[in-house]
């Protein structure tokens, strides 16, 4: 019995001594990991720039099912943020500075400890050279973990290496795996919706759509409103000469809703009309390919564009439904005249804004 007491005392003294030793060690760290990602720089940058994508590649998140994330209105670009809570961690991330397609600076608070994160993106042979650097301090629990796993640099460095490998695999498969199907002629039902309108250049369309869709979804959550379906895009204007794209990000609602004057959210109503439906299963970056196939189908089967209707893209399955981009579903609806309709009975365009691409032009939303 006395031996057991001595053993217990020795273990207790060891634990106390180890705790004192660990607590007195410097918790400062400065860790850098570099990897070539086999995708174009703009693709890699845009993916990392959006916090909603981090769940798909960060190793510590993928290995811990207890993580619960909260995403605010803005999740990409300067000022973007997110927060989380898990069994062992609680904190938030905020983007402080962004240099488009070149670098990102972020601040992280994890269990009340601050750190700075630096991303750098450079073109290189085989893809994009990504540099991920982190500077900060560890809390006591993290110090203990580092003590038993080879040190701070090893713990954080290993996590970064696994995460970058996950990122490479995710982008290589998830972004590049897609399929396009031209479904044929369907009737697009009408209905009420709320919208937010924007003009921008062609190269900024994809990024701005993601931003506005997130804002629209946040608007519904904030105001405790229910949508009648999935978010969709209406393309009002496509001016190739002046590089001016006009579109609205919309959310369907059951009834007409009155919006107070001064709001950037407006209400609208979509009329029913005949369309050619094309379905893209995969990341949004393949929308241009879907358009090419849709327009080629129209040309081959002698369908004529109906400019009295508007081009619609419906995000039937998006990143709020499934994290994997390869499983996202985007439905494209191009207004066409039904076969057999005489030209004299066709309606004129609704308004001057309904300028859509000609059949030989390609849109790349």
């Amino acid at each position: 019995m006395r031996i057991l007491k001595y053993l217990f005392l020795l273990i207790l003294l060891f634990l106390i001594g180890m705790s004192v030793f660990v607590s007195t060690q410097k918790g400062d760290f400065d860790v850098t990991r570099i990897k070539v990602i086999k995708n174009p720089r703009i693709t890699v940058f845009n993916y990392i720039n959006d916090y909603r994508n981090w769940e798909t590649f960060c190793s510590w998140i993928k290995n811990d099912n207890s993580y619960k994330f909260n995403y605010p209105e803005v999740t990409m670009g300067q000022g973007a943020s997110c927060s989380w809570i898990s069994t062992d961690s609680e904190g938030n991330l905020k983007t402080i500075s962004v240099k488009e397609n070149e670098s990102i600076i972020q601040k992280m608070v994890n269990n009340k400890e601050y750190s700075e994160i630096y991303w750098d993106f450079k073109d290189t042979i085989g893809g994009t050279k990504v540099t991920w650097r982190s500077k900060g301090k560890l809390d006591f629990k993290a110090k203990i973990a580092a003590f038993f796993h080879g040190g701070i640099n090893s713990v954080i460095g290993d996590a970064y290496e696994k995460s970058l490998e996950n990122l490479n695999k995710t982008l290589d498969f998830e972004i590049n795996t897609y399929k396009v199907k031209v479904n044929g002629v369907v009737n697009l039902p009408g209905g009420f919706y709320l919208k937010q309108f924007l003009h921008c250049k062609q190269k900024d369309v994809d990024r701005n759509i993601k931003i506005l869709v997130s804002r629209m979804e946040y608007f519904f959550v904030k105001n405790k409103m229910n949508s009648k379906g999935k978010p969709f895009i209406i393309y009002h204007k496509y001016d190739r000469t002046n590089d001016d794209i006009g579109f609205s990000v919309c959310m369907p609602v059951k009834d007409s809703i009155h919006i107070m004057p001064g709001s950037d959210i407006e209400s609208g109503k979509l009329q029913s009309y005949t369309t050619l439906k094309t379905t893209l299963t995969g990341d949004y970056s393949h929308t241009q390919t879907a358009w090419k196939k849709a327009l080629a189908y129209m040309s081959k089967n002698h369908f004529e564009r109906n400019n009295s209707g508007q081009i619609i893209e419906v995000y039937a399955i998006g990143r709020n439904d499934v994290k994997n981009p390869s499983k996202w579903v985007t439905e494209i609806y191009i207004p066409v005249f039904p076969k057999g309709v005489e030209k004299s009975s066709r309606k004129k365009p609704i308004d001057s804004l309904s300028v859509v691409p000609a059949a030989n032009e390609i849109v790349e939303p």
Side-chain angles (χ1 to χ4, degrees):
M1 195 70 179
R2 184 176 296 177
I3 294 175
L4 291 175
K5 288 181 179 179
Y6 283 139
L7 287 175
F8 176 77
L9 182 60
L10 286 172
I11 292 172
L12 182 61
L13 290 172
F14 171 77
L15 292 174
I16 293 173
M18 187 189 70
S19 298
V20 172
F21 174 78
V22 172
S23 64
T24 57
Q25 297 300 301
K26 288 185 177 181
D28 298 327
F29 64 87
D30 187 344
V31 179
T32 300
R33 289 296 184 269
I34 300 172
K35 185 173 181 61
V36 175
I37 307 298
K38 295 181 289 186
N39 265 271
R41 181 158 54 122
I42 186 172
T43 301
V44 180
F45 175 88
N46 286 337
Y47 200 78
I48 293 174
N49 191 33
D50 191 342
Y51 288 125
R52 289 178 180 268
N53 295 325
W54 283 45
E55 292 182 63
T56 67
F57 69 87
C58 287
S59 61
W60 58 91
I61 299 173
K62 292 175 69 69
N63 295 332
D64 187 348
N65 293 328
S66 69
Y67 271 90
K68 302 297 180 185
F69 279 83
N70 177 52
Y71 297 107
E73 182 178 3
V74 180
T75 61
M76 62 185 296
Q78 187 166 327
S81 64
C82 73
S83 60
W84 68 86
I85 186 169
S86 71
T87 303
D88 300 315
S89 175
E90 182 176 358
N92 62 78
L93 266 166
K94 186 172 183 179
T95 302
I96 305 303
S97 175
V98 173
K99 193 171 183 180
E100 198 73 16
N101 299 324
E102 293 186 17
S103 63
I104 303 171
I105 300 176
Q106 301 160 325
K107 282 193 175 181
M108 182 171 70
V109 179
N110 186 40
N111 293 334
K112 298 182 180 180
E113 293 289 350
Y114 290 82
S115 61
E116 295 177 347
I117 299 173
Y118 304 88
W119 294 91
D120 185 72
F121 307 86
K122 294 187 183 301
D123 292 323
T124 189
I125 297 174
T128 304
K129 179 182 176 183
V130 177
T131 302
W132 188 1
R133 182 187 181 192
S134 184
K135 296 171 59 180
K137 290 190 175 186
L138 296 178
D139 61 13
F140 179 74
K141 188 182 292 186
K143 285 183 183 181
I144 292 288
F147 178 79
F148 285 105
H149 293 86
I152 296 173
N153 187 75
S154 177
V155 171
I156 298 177
D158 287 350
Y160 280 13
E161 287 175 8
K162 292 176 183 177
S163 298
L164 288 171
E165 182 59 34
N166 290 339
L167 175 66
N168 192 39
K169 290 179 180 178
T170 297
L171 290 176
D172 188 43
F173 177 82
E174 293 294 341
I175 300 298
N176 297 322
T177 301
Y178 72 97
K179 61 181 179 180
V180 176
K181 179 182 179 181
V182 179
N183 306 90
V185 175
V186 300
N187 187 62
L188 183 69
F192 298 101
Y193 60 87
L194 296 184
K195 66 177 181 178
Q196 188 170 13
F197 180 78
L198 184 69
H199 276 281
C200 69
K201 296 182 180 298
Q202 176 68 56
K203 67 181 181 64
D204 298 323
V205 169
D206 184 58
R207 177 171 59 87
N208 284 327
I209 284 178
K210 289 180 180 178
I211 292 173
L212 292 187
V213 167
S214 293
R215 287 180 178 175
M216 183 65 75
E217 292 171 338
Y218 183 80
F219 177 84
F220 271 69
V221 171
K222 181 181 178 181
N223 291 281
K224 298 180 180 180
M225 298 170 60
N226 295 319
S227 65
K228 193 184 175 184
K230 295 296 185 177
F232 63 94
I233 310 299
I234 297 178
Y235 288 96
H236 303 283
K237 182 178 181 180
Y238 183 85
D239 186 344
R240 182 184 292 273
T241 302
N242 297 307
D243 193 15
D244 182 20
I245 314 298
F247 63 90
S248 293
V249 172
C250 311
M251 189 71 80
V253 291
K254 184 177 179 180
D255 301 302
S256 179
I257 297 177
H258 175 71
I259 301 296
M260 296 295 291
S263 173
D264 57 356
I265 303 293
E266 301 177 90
S267 60
K269 184 178 181 181
L270 190 68
Q271 301 296 328
S272 176
Y273 51 89
T274 302
T275 65
L276 176 71
K277 177 183 177 181
T278 302
T279 301
L280 163 66
T281 303
D283 185 71
Y284 305 137
S285 60
H286 301 292
T287 308
Q288 184 183 26
T289 301
W291 271 94
K292 287 180 179 179
K293 289 193 176 183
L295 296 177
Y297 182 93
M298 287 178 59
S299 177
K300 180 180 178 180
N301 293 277
H302 308 293
F303 281 102
E304 186 178 346
R305 177 78 57 80
N306 179 2
N307 288 332
S308 66
Q310 294 169 312
I311 296 173
I312 306 291
E313 282 182 6
V314 179
Y315 298 141
I317 299 178
R319 59 184 180 180
N320 287 342
D321 304 300
V322 60
K323 297 298 180 183
N324 308 74
S326 63
K327 297 179 181 179
W328 295 347
V329 176
T330 304
E331 298 170 347
I332 299 173
Y333 296 90
I334 304 175
V336 295
F337 287 109
K339 292 282 185 73
V341 176
E342 296 293 332
K343 288 188 176 182
S344 59
S345 64
R346 296 177 180 178
K347 297 180 180 179
K348 294 182 179 180
I350 297 174
D351 54 50
S352 59
L353 265 184
S354 299
V355 180
V356 294
N360 62 344
E361 292 182 317
I362 303 300
V363 182
E364 187 179 2

